[in-house]
Amino acid sequence: MDSRNALIIYAAGGLLMLIFYITGYSYWSQPDSNTVSIIWTTAPRDASEKLAKGLVETRIAACVNSIPQVSSYYKWEGKVVSDSEDLLMIKTKSDNIPKVIDYVKHNHPYTTPEVISVTVTSGLPSYLDWVRDST
């Protein structure tokens, strides 16, 4: 690698670190039990009910909302396909994210299910306390 490429990589890394600093994001930070996250997954109707109940029964999630019949369009094995699925909104402590991913991965009918999450930055304090206490 020549010095010009090294300088570009160094500058890009510095810019990324500045963005992380300004936004408060840390790639290296681990989720903790004081934060709450919302995790989304989609599944066919018969699987979504089992996933939702299982996540709550095992206390991996405090609450799962099921929004029925969302239309999903995606590319799979080179083709654009569409499915009618349920959207699950899973509320849990942030340190339970790996447990949610593992549970969904082992109980979902798809080989590569969607599992994405965001950290809740604000909300009704008593609700967030309930989520933490329920998981």
Side-chain angles (χ1 to χ4, degrees):
M1 174 183 327
D2 65 23
S3 61
R4 182 172 172 241
N5 287 340
L7 181 60
I8 292 170
I9 291 170
Y10 181 76
L15 180 60
L16 187 60
M17 293 304 294
L18 178 62
I19 292 168
F20 285 174
Y21 176 77
I22 291 169
T23 62
Y25 176 81
S26 174
Y27 177 80
W28 299 275
S29 67
Q30 295 295 315
D32 63 57
S33 59
N34 291 324
T35 59
V36 171
S37 289
I38 299 174
I39 303 160
W40 288 274
T41 190
T42 57
R45 184 70 173 140
D46 57 336
S48 69
E49 190 171 323
K50 291 176 189 172
L51 286 167
K53 286 181 180 179
L55 287 163
V56 174
E57 286 171 354
T58 58
R59 295 180 58 99
I60 297 172
C63 175
V64 179
N65 301 108
S66 179
I67 303 166
Q69 296 180 338
V70 297
S71 297
S72 297
Y73 298 86
Y74 53 95
K75 200 165 195 176
W76 187 253
E77 297 178 347
K79 299 178 194 169
V80 175
V81 295
S82 64
D83 284 310
S84 179
E85 302 172 303
D86 290 354
L87 174 64
L88 299 181
M89 290 179 37
I90 304 160
K91 277 78 75 181
T92 190
K93 294 183 292 195
S94 295
D95 62 353
N96 278 351
I97 292 171
K99 293 178 185 176
V100 172
I101 291 170
D102 188 61
Y103 188 91
V104 171
K105 192 166 92 175
H106 288 96
N107 293 283
H108 199 288
Y110 297 169
T111 56
T112 308
E114 170 189 34
V115 184
I116 56 175
S117 68
V118 295
T119 301
V120 175
T121 58
S122 63
L124 181 67
S126 58
Y127 178 79
L128 299 177
D129 288 341
W130 173 80
V131 170
R132 285 187 285 269
D133 292 342
S134 298
T135 55

